[in-house]
Structure formats: C-alpha cells, structure tokens
Amino acid sequence: MAEQIEFDQAHQTLHEITQALENGRFVHVRRQLQDMEPEDIAILLEASPRKSREVLWQLTDPEDYGEILDELAEDVKDALVSKMAPEKLAEVTEGMDTDDVAYVLRSLPDDLSREVLSQMDSADRLRVEMALSYPEDTAGGIMNTDVITIRSDVDVDVVLRYLRMKGELPELTDALYVVDSSNQLIGHLSLSVLLTTQPDVPVAEVMEDADEAIRVDTKDSDVASLFERRNWISAPVVDENQVLVGRITIDDVVDIIREDAEHSMMSMAGMDDDEDTFAPVFKSARKRSIWLGANVLAALAAASVSNMFESTLEQMASIAVLMTIVPSMGGVAGNQTVALVIRGLALGHIGNSNKKELLYKEAAIGLLNGILWALLIGAIVMLWKGNLMLGAIISAAMLTNLFVAGIAGVTIPIILKKMNIDPALAGGMALTTVTDVVGLSAFLGLATFLIH
Amino acid sequence: MAEQIEFDQAHQTLHEITQALENGRFVHVRRQLQDMEPEDIAILLEASPRKSREVLWQLTDPEDYGEILDELAEDVKDALVSKMAPEKLAEVTEGMDTDDVAYVLRSLPDDLSREVLSQMDSADRLRVEMALSYPEDTAGGIMNTDVITIRSDVDVDVVLRYLRMKGELPELTDALYVVDSSNQLIGHLSLSVLLTTQPDVPVAEVMEDADEAIRVDTKDSDVASLFERRNWISAPVVDENQVLVGRITIDDVVDIIREDAEHSMMSMAGMDDDEDTFAPVFKSARKRSIWLGANVLAALAAASVSNMFESTLEQMASIAVLMTIVPSMGGVAGNQTVALVIRGLALGHIGNSNKKELLYKEAAIGLLNGILWALLIGAIVMLWKGNLMLGAIISAAMLTNLFVAGIAGVTIPIILKKMNIDPALAGGMALTTVTDVVGLSAFLGLATFLIH
C-alpha cells in the first residue's frame, strides 16, 4: 500500500526537490535524500537537469554512491564519475558487485582507471581485473564472482550447516553450484530442492546436471535470450574447460533486455541510445548531426532525381505540388516492414529458411495496400486537379512504390545484417532513400512520358 | 558448453525441420520436437510460416502444449488456440500457471472461453475466474495464486519441516509470505534468510516487514518498473485490505518489459506490436492501412501548402527540385527529439519540473544544427544551381525548420501524453506533419517573396 502512494508521488518528489534546490534549502534536500532508496535517487538524478544533478550528487550520502552508480544510465554515470577523485572512487567501489565496478572502470580514461585499481584492496583488485579481461558485451563482462560452491558427496544436512555458518548468501542466489576437486562444474542444487529434501540425502542424488552452463565468451544478447526462454534467476558461467568462473544474475539480464530494446527504438530515429535526456547541448548536437549528414545525402539523392525532370516540372506546376505524396507513402509503408523485420531479426525469427516466405508476404501486402491507396489517391487527385491523366499517373506510381517498399523493407535489413551493419540504425534511412528515389522516378517519369 | 553449440545451431535446426517438413518426413520431425525444450519449440513456431506452423503444432507432444502456449507471442498463440477443441484446451491448461490460463482465455471468444472453463476442475476454475476478474494490464491480471504462507510465531525449524513435507515449492519462489489469522500480509521470509538462520529462531525475528507489497490494481508497467528498480524475483500482491491475494514473478515482468519496449519501437513505425512476423496477408494489410490512411492526410496537408505556391513553382522549376530537402531534414531532426522524449516519458524522467529545461535544450540543439546545415546546404545549392539567392533562401528555411523541429519534438509527445494518446504511436507522424508544413511554407514562402 505504501508503494502505491509512493508511486503516485514520484513526480511530486522530483518537483519538491527541484524547488527546494532552487531555494537553496540544501539541508532539507539532504534529509529527503537520506529517506530515499538508492534506486529512486538514481531515477531522480537521471530526471534532473545537469546543474541540479551535480548538487544532488554532493548532497547524497557517499555510502549510497556504489548502489546508485549501479543503477544509473551510462552517460549520467560517466558525467558524475568523471568529477570524482580516484581515492573516493576506490572507496565507493567497495560496496559494489564486481561486474558493476568493472563497468564503471571501463568508462574511465586508462590512467584514472589504473589509479582507482591501485587504491583497491588486493583481493577486490584481482577480481575486478579478471572481469576487465573479458569483453564488456560477453558473459564474462556481466558475471559476478560471488558464487557458493559445494561438493556432490556431502549430505543436505552438511550443506545446511555450512550455509548457517556463512550467515549470508550473495544477492539473488537461487542455487548452489556443485563442483569437483578441479572446480569443474558438474551440477547445481536449487534452494527450493535444498529446502524440500530430507537432511540425510546426499547432494549427488538431488542436484541437477550442468548441461546448460553459459560459456564465458557467449554474447550478452544470447545470454539474455537464454534467461528469457529458460526463466532463470541466475546461471553459472564456465570457461572452455568447464571450470566455474562466475555467475550471471537476472537483474543484469533485465538491464540488457531493456537496453537492447531501447537501442532498436532510438537507433531507428537516428539517436545514440546512451544519450542522456539532459546531455550537454554541444555534445548532443554533434552526435545527432552525423545522422543529419547522412540524411542530407539521401535528400540530395531525391533532389537529383527531381532535377532530371526539371523541364517537366517547368511545364506543369501541379506535378511539383503532388510529387511529395508518393515518396511519403512509400516511406511509411516500407518502414512498417523494416520495423517488423528488425524485430524478427532481433528475436531470431528470421533466417535462411523463411526469408523467401517473408519476402512474398510483404510484397503481397505492398501490392494490396498499393492497389487500395492508388485508387483512393488517384480519385482524390482527379477531383482536386480535375485532370484524369494526373490521377492515373499518381495511381501507377503509388502502386509501384508500395510494392517496391514491401520488397526493400525485407531485403534491406537482411542485407545490412549480413554486412554486419546494424539494421536498426541504417535500415530506415536506406529504405527511405529507395522509396524516395523510386517514388519520384516513377511519378515524374510517367508524367514526363505522358506530357511529351 | 552444450548450450553454446545449441545456440549456434538454432537456425540450423529451423532450417532442418523446415526441409524435413517439405519432404514429408513427419516422423523425423516429431522425434526432433520431442528432444526440444518447450521454449525452443515456441521460438520455432514463431519463426515458421503459417502452414508449417500448423503442421508442427500437430506433431508436437500435447503434454508440452501448456508450456509452449505460455511462451508464444500473442498473435501466434491466438491463431493456434482458435483451432483447438474446448475439451482439448481445458486439458492443456492443467499444466499452466493461473495467470497464463487467464491470458489464453481472454483471447478466446466469450462462449468458447466459458466452455473451456466449464471443462476445468472446480478448484482450478475458481482460481482462473478470480484472475479473469482483474483487468489484464494490472497486477491482478499477471499474478499467480500459488503462494506459500507461514505464521510469524513459529520457529525456523517448523518452517523447514513444513517445506520438506510439502516436497515442492512453486516455480521462482524466493520468499515465503508471513500472514496473520485473517490472511493479511505482515512480512516475508526470504529463502536465503531461512537457510542461514539457526533452527530455533522464531520467524518474527528474522522476517522482513511488508512495506512494499504491490496493490492488486497497480498498472503492469508500474509493477515492471518496481521490479526493475528493486531487483525483485517475486513480490506479494495484496488487496485494499492488505489481504494477500497472490504473487508476481520476474518471468512475467521480463515479458512486460520486453513488450513495452517493443511497443515503442513498433508503434513509432506505425505497426501493431502484436503483429506476428507471418501474419495472414489480408489481416496485416488491413491493420497497416490505417496508418497509411493517416499518412495520406499528412501528405495531402503538405501538398496543399505547395499548392498555395503553385505560381512560384511555375516560374522556377529549381524551387520544385529543391523543395523536398528542408522538410526531410526537419523530419529527421524532429524525430530524434521525439525518440528521446518518448523514452524519457516511458522511464518517468520527464515531468512538470523539468520539461521547460528540456525544451530549451532541444531548441538550442535545433538552432545549433540548424546553423550548421543551413550553411552547408546553402553552399551546396549555391554551387549546384549557381544562384546565390536560392542558397540564401534554403539556408533561412533550414534554420527555421530545425529550430521548430526541436520545439515540436518536445511539445508534441508531452501534449499527446496529456491527452492520453500514445506518444509513441502518434508522435512521429504529428511531428513530420509539422516539419513538412513549416519547412515547405518557409522555403516556398521566402522564394515567392523574393521572386516578386
């Protein structure tokens, strides 16, 4: 019940704190921050314009820094971390998971990151250095090393006493890992089974086999899809010799799922998915202008097509008035297909065995909608401009362009993926260029042919 | 290790099975399906064209139907379920979680769903009917009723013996819920704590308070964001009297997170996010044509603007050739802002306290990139067309349009959200209409003014 109220008040809190900051009531803000969970402070920081963000960070209890950094979006974290002294950073990392420390260090300049490492105690440093040795986007880069291992020849009772002696389990522990004397993973014992088994049963009898351990070099998106399919909470990570090196937990996987999905959404609009909502103006403008530059080329390509038909445009201004309709419809229809294909590729639904089927289907949809909109827009143009021929021309161009849009919408993302170019990033613009060029060529070409 | 190989072979399997189906080697396919996990069969079905999908479903062991249906995307599930007899469906639901049965029944026609319910045993029916009584997109709609409850006055040892007697815990159990005699939730005892506490300690001493129970009417997206922030695996659900009614588990939350993110991505391209990759052609064409219809209006609005300047276009065909560039750049720049704002709104980062700040920032980025591209494109046009005036006109129009794009990119999604219209769905097209109209008006208006 408390939670429900808290939820409705989330924005209220943000508003209050912003106002208190503006009025310089720092003591009040500090007290409010002390009452908040680290995850909620993270959201508050992300939702704050940059100036207030820095003040808020100063007012936050440094004890919470580690947990807050864990939760922050990359750009926001980088900005805050870049202003902290190395000793301070080393202190903060003490409360953090190994994978999260590695994640923060990766974003620092090399010399700063080395300095932070040198300030850490040697056991922690060793663990973080190991994590840093794996690429960021692999199982090794997201795993933790806080695993509890047991042997298969002991009884459940021994395990229970061992756990009571330990006194605490690592966060999100749902299973203990069973290893042999060379630390090779041979199975796992879930806490559920442990709790429902009689004390005198040996572990070997109730453990499950390790047939689905994650290899340390598995790609993070593959890890996420495995977790999603298998409904795992945590999973062991092994090296090429089946030696247990760590475990991955669902909280990090949820972050990957969220980030992957956001990546598609933001990329399709030509945005960097790391971009902080309140990023510095110059930095954002520079990042975004790359995409605008690509669009200049696309727009100039379309203009060159029109340019070839300059004499036609000179003879009949109505053609110029109408010439944007066909490319616009083709772009929208084609991008519908592109979105479907990008999702299908991301979910692993599209491969060699079914891409022909998909192409036929999308071409058929293009044809169907092409006929529908060719007739409707042809009729509108005929009535508007009182010109039967102009209606016929726009109909033919529309049908052609929507058909091409369906085919290009399937082939462009698949080809881009084969070329190792992110289809979410480049697919939409490549598609629009095709539908602009085809749409303009078809409409202006037919118009020229019929005028002369 | 096995998993790694399996992963690389996922598409290989799909390819093999498709070929075996084509050659009518049904026995072989049936055997292969028997060796696969239900989750993997679900992906296979989603990735199969519709005809092979139905054959595959027939060849699948009906024992697995329940678990497979749990994992399938909505449209695919609906198609398969609509062809099953009610008795068969009732049988299949026996192995499924309550929330998943409710989910399947919701998609059936009312009479069919009643028939399936009448075939279920009475305890199951009661549970499913209760789940159906909550709206689909609330905590009640996604919760399960398989909770284990304990009292606070017993010792840990009693709990351990009780669990051993039960013999099995519900899937994804990470905590037992502590209730009083009227079933009001007073706390929870995590399995980790249970395992690391001495047997003679009373539950009351080690349990955690129930200060963050989820109310049954909480929106599913709010539930997801809570799980994500708090790193929960499961959470108790209570009614308005704090009475425990069920629990929500992370697997269902991951589905919501994935669906919400996909929804934004697909909606921005004007697609229904339920659309099956291999949906029937007519059904898809109909769904998509709604969006194309909206775009016809947008395209006609742009054409009407050009139409007002018909005499200018008549006098100078170069203007017609160049007139698509400014709207195109404005659309791309504005959609970058729209994507940022939609993500910010979804994550709860944007509210009354900071939207002015965001508006200034995006307007400033629009101005900066406006200056950059105004100068560049102005220069290109001047060189291309050898006309200083034309270069100056396109520069001025470009600067205006990119500035307007920044402002519209922030205000349109925020206004749509206030009007309870999904900004991901309508934001892009509304923005493009604005940038088309402003871009064309600015360019053609200035050209007209300078020609006369």
Side-chain angles (χ1 to χ4, degrees):
Chain A
M1 222 152 352
E3 193 53 40
Q4 186 63 16
I5 297 163
E6 186 186 309
F7 224 98
D8 297 339
Q9 286 190 337
H11 267 112
Q12 193 53 34
T13 311
L14 177 58
H15 190 66
E16 261 177 50
I17 290 188
T18 313
Q19 288 224 308
L21 273 187
E22 274 170 17
N23 301 332
R25 293 168 58 213
F26 295 138
V27 181
H28 175 79
V29 174
R30 189 191 296 271
R31 232 180 353 242
Q32 275 210 287
L33 289 171
Q34 272 163 2
D35 289 343
M36 288 169 72
E37 299 279 340
E39 313 91 81
D40 298 323
I41 298 179
I43 291 186
L44 179 68
L45 288 167
E46 287 174 346
S48 297
R50 274 174 318 124
K51 267 187 215 156
S52 7
R53 191 181 282 164
E54 279 162 33
V55 181
L56 284 173
W57 188 241
Q58 296 300 332
L59 294 173
T60 304
D61 184 353
E63 289 256 311
D64 288 340
Y65 277 4
E67 271 184 84
I68 295 172
L69 285 176
D70 268 14
E71 301 289 333
L72 281 179
E74 195 158 351
D75 260 26
V76 180
K77 171 162 33 192
D78 290 355
L80 292 174
V81 161
S82 67
K83 291 192 177 139
M84 289 170 73
E87 311 83 61
K88 185 82 209 159
L89 259 174
E91 207 185 303
V92 163
T93 56
E94 270 168 35
M96 292 169 72
D97 287 343
T98 316
D99 59 333
D100 297 316
V101 178
Y103 184 67
V104 168
L105 290 189
R106 267 184 233 275
S107 61
L108 295 180
D110 272 359
D111 50 338
L112 187 55
S113 130
R114 260 196 301 275
E115 213 175 320
V116 174
L117 274 171
S118 72
Q119 305 270 350
M120 294 169 69
D121 81 44
S122 63
D124 281 351
R125 188 171 61 231
L126 216 70
R127 274 213 304 273
V128 172
E129 278 172 344
M130 198 183 94
L132 283 172
S133 73
Y134 298 110
E136 189 173 8
D137 59 348
T138 63
I142 51 173
M143 74 183 184
N144 277 309
T145 44
D146 54 353
V147 288
I148 298 190
T149 55
I150 52 174
R151 291 296 168 82
S152 64
D153 54 1
V154 298
D155 287 351
V156 161
D157 188 39
V158 175
V159 176
L160 287 175
R161 274 185 285 132
Y162 168 63
L163 293 182
R164 281 184 201 130
M165 203 188 66
K166 273 192 83 72
E168 207 180 345
L169 302 187
E171 256 189 276
L172 299 175
T173 297
D174 66 329
L176 312 176
Y177 300 127
V178 186
V179 294
D180 63 16
S181 57
S182 56
N183 213 28
Q184 283 191 323
L185 183 73
I186 53 178
H188 70 267
L189 178 65
S190 76
L191 299 193
S192 291
V193 170
L194 184 61
L195 282 165
T196 52
T197 302
Q198 295 302 324
D200 56 349
V201 176
V203 167
E205 260 181 44
V206 285
M207 75 175 199
E208 281 177 71
D209 287 343
D211 52 353
E212 293 208 311
I214 292 172
R215 269 281 296 274
V216 73
D217 53 0
T218 309
K219 272 202 59 186
D220 60 355
S221 52
D222 291 343
V223 171
S225 119
L226 264 173
F227 264 77
E228 218 179 329
R229 282 190 286 157
R230 303 281 187 255
N231 292 340
W232 286 339
I233 291 170
S234 73
V237 180
V238 296
D239 69 8
E240 65 280 9
N241 301 315
Q242 190 72 2
V243 170
L244 181 69
V245 290
R247 71 182 183 117
I248 293 176
T249 50
I250 183 80
D251 55 333
D252 294 318
V253 171
V254 167
D255 289 346
I256 293 168
I257 292 174
R258 162 83 72 193
E259 277 163 23
D260 277 358
E262 263 176 19
H263 171 78
S264 297
M265 191 270 248
M266 296 290 272
S267 301
M268 281 175 73
M271 287 285 282
D272 184 339
D273 52 324
D274 286 337
E275 183 165 331
D276 164 13
T277 310
F278 294 98
V281 170
F282 274 94
K283 196 174 160 197
S284 293
R286 205 181 53 232
K287 274 188 180 175
R288 294 191 204 173
S289 67
I290 297 169
W291 194 242
L292 288 168
N295 190 58
V296 166
L297 298 180
L300 286 176
S304 317
V305 173
S306 320
N307 199 47
M308 294 191 301
F309 300 100
E310 199 165 0
S311 68
T312 306
L313 291 168
E314 230 151 39
Q315 284 174 50
M316 207 174 161
S318 294
I319 291 176
V321 167
L322 300 171
M323 76 178 187
T324 51
I325 299 176
V326 174
S328 160
M329 293 293 283
V332 168
N335 272 313
Q336 290 181 326
T337 304
V338 166
L340 186 82
V341 175
I342 287 173
R343 187 189 61 170
L345 287 170
L347 296 177
H349 289 177
I350 297 172
N352 283 325
S353 60
N354 56 14
K355 64 186 183 193
K356 214 161 57 182
E357 196 87 20
L358 188 65
L359 185 68
Y360 292 157
K361 182 202 136 204
E362 291 297 319
I365 293 175
L367 213 53
L368 265 180
N369 273 331
I371 292 171
L372 173 69
W373 295 107
L375 291 176
L376 263 165
I377 290 173
I380 291 173
V381 165
M382 221 147 39
L383 292 173
W384 184 16
K385 293 286 168 190
N387 186 330
L388 186 74
M389 197 51 88
L390 217 48
I393 289 171
I394 206 168
S395 288
M398 185 70 72
L399 180 57
T400 311
N401 206 25
L402 291 202
F403 181 63
V404 169
I407 293 173
V410 174
T411 46
I412 288 175
I414 291 178
I415 291 172
L416 287 173
K417 186 154 191 197
K418 281 233 168 98
M419 293 164 67
N420 268 325
I421 300 171
D422 181 5
L425 183 62
M429 191 160 289
L431 181 277
T432 310
T433 308
V434 169
T435 49
D436 275 0
V437 167
V438 171
L440 283 173
S441 305
F443 180 61
L444 296 178
L446 281 172
T448 306
F449 183 74
L450 285 167
I451 278 178
H452 297 295
Chain B
M1 223 147 356
E3 193 54 40
Q4 185 62 17
I5 295 162
E6 186 185 308
F7 225 98
D8 297 339
Q9 286 189 337
H11 266 113
Q12 192 54 33
T13 310
L14 176 59
H15 190 65
E16 261 177 48
I17 291 190
T18 314
Q19 288 224 308
L21 273 187
E22 273 169 17
N23 302 332
R25 293 168 57 213
F26 296 137
V27 182
H28 175 79
V29 174
R30 190 191 294 272
R31 229 177 357 239
Q32 275 210 288
L33 288 171
Q34 273 163 0
D35 290 341
M36 288 169 71
E37 299 280 340
E39 312 92 81
D40 298 324
I41 299 180
I43 291 186
L44 179 68
L45 288 167
E46 287 173 347
S48 297
R50 272 172 320 121
K51 266 188 217 155
S52 6
R53 190 182 282 164
E54 278 160 35
V55 181
L56 283 173
W57 188 241
Q58 297 300 330
L59 294 174
T60 303
D61 184 353
E63 291 255 310
D64 288 341
Y65 277 4
E67 271 183 84
I68 295 172
L69 285 176
D70 269 14
E71 301 289 332
L72 280 179
E74 196 159 348
D75 261 25
V76 179
K77 171 161 32 192
D78 290 354
L80 292 174
V81 161
S82 67
K83 291 192 179 137
M84 289 170 73
E87 311 83 62
K88 186 81 209 158
L89 259 175
E91 206 184 304
V92 163
T93 57
E94 271 168 34
M96 293 169 71
D97 287 343
T98 317
D99 60 332
D100 296 317
V101 178
Y103 183 67
V104 168
L105 289 188
R106 268 183 232 275
S107 62
L108 295 181
D110 272 359
D111 50 338
L112 187 54
S113 131
R114 261 195 301 275
E115 215 176 319
V116 174
L117 273 172
S118 72
Q119 305 270 349
M120 294 170 68
D121 80 45
S122 64
D124 281 350
R125 188 171 62 231
L126 216 68
R127 273 213 306 273
V128 172
E129 279 172 344
M130 196 183 95
L132 282 172
S133 72
Y134 298 110
E136 190 172 7
D137 59 349
T138 63
I142 51 173
M143 72 182 184
N144 276 309
T145 46
D146 53 353
V147 289
I148 298 190
T149 56
I150 54 174
R151 292 296 167 82
S152 63
D153 54 1
V154 299
D155 287 351
V156 161
D157 188 39
V158 176
V159 177
L160 287 176
R161 274 185 286 130
Y162 168 63
L163 293 181
R164 283 186 199 126
M165 204 187 65
K166 273 192 81 74
E168 206 179 345
L169 302 186
E171 255 188 277
L172 299 174
T173 296
D174 65 329
L176 312 176
Y177 300 127
V178 186
V179 293
D180 62 16
S181 56
S182 56
N183 213 29
Q184 284 191 322
L185 183 74
I186 54 177
H188 70 267
L189 178 64
S190 76
L191 300 193
S192 291
V193 171
L194 184 61
L195 282 165
T196 51
T197 304
Q198 294 303 324
D200 56 349
V201 176
V203 166
E205 261 181 42
V206 285
M207 74 176 200
E208 282 177 72
D209 288 344
D211 53 352
E212 293 208 311
I214 292 173
R215 269 280 297 273
V216 74
D217 53 1
T218 309
K219 273 202 58 187
D220 60 355
S221 53
D222 290 344
V223 171
S225 120
L226 264 173
F227 264 77
E228 218 179 330
R229 282 189 286 155
R230 302 281 187 257
N231 292 340
W232 286 339
I233 290 170
S234 73
V237 180
V238 296
D239 69 9
E240 64 282 9
N241 302 315
Q242 190 74 359
V243 169
L244 182 68
V245 290
R247 69 180 185 119
I248 293 176
T249 49
I250 183 79
D251 54 333
D252 295 316
V253 172
V254 167
D255 290 345
I256 292 168
I257 291 174
R258 162 83 72 191
E259 277 162 24
D260 277 359
E262 262 176 18
H263 171 78
S264 297
M265 190 270 248
M266 296 290 273
S267 301
M268 281 175 73
M271 287 285 283
D272 183 341
D273 52 324
D274 286 337
E275 184 164 330
D276 164 15
T277 310
F278 295 98
V281 170
F282 275 93
K283 196 175 161 197
S284 292
R286 205 180 55 231
K287 275 187 179 175
R288 293 191 204 173
S289 67
I290 297 169
W291 195 241
L292 288 168
N295 190 58
V296 166
L297 298 179
L300 286 176
S304 316
V305 173
S306 319
N307 198 48
M308 295 191 301
F309 300 98
E310 198 165 1
S311 68
T312 306
L313 291 168
E314 229 151 40
Q315 283 175 50
M316 207 173 161
S318 293
I319 292 176
V321 166
L322 300 171
M323 76 178 187
T324 50
I325 298 176
V326 174
S328 159
M329 292 293 282
V332 168
N335 272 313
Q336 290 181 326
T337 303
V338 166
L340 186 82
V341 175
I342 287 173
R343 186 189 61 170
L345 288 170
L347 296 177
H349 288 175
I350 297 173
N352 283 325
S353 61
N354 56 15
K355 65 184 183 194
K356 213 162 58 182
E357 195 88 19
L358 189 64
L359 185 68
Y360 292 157
K361 181 201 136 206
E362 290 298 319
I365 293 175
L367 212 54
L368 265 180
N369 273 331
I371 293 169
L372 174 69
W373 295 108
L375 291 175
L376 262 165
I377 291 174
I380 292 173
V381 166
M382 221 147 39
L383 293 173
W384 183 16
K385 293 286 168 189
N387 186 330
L388 185 74
M389 197 51 88
L390 218 47
I393 290 171
I394 208 168
S395 288
M398 185 70 72
L399 179 57
T400 311
N401 206 25
L402 291 201
F403 181 62
V404 169
I407 292 173
V410 174
T411 47
I412 289 175
I414 291 179
I415 291 172
L416 287 173
K417 185 153 190 198
K418 280 232 168 97
M419 293 165 67
N420 268 324
I421 300 171
D422 180 5
L425 183 62
M429 190 160 290
L431 180 279
T432 310
T433 309
V434 169
T435 48
D436 275 1
V437 167
V438 171
L440 283 173
S441 305
F443 180 62
L444 295 179
L446 281 172
T448 306
F449 183 74
L450 285 167
I451 279 180
H452 296 295

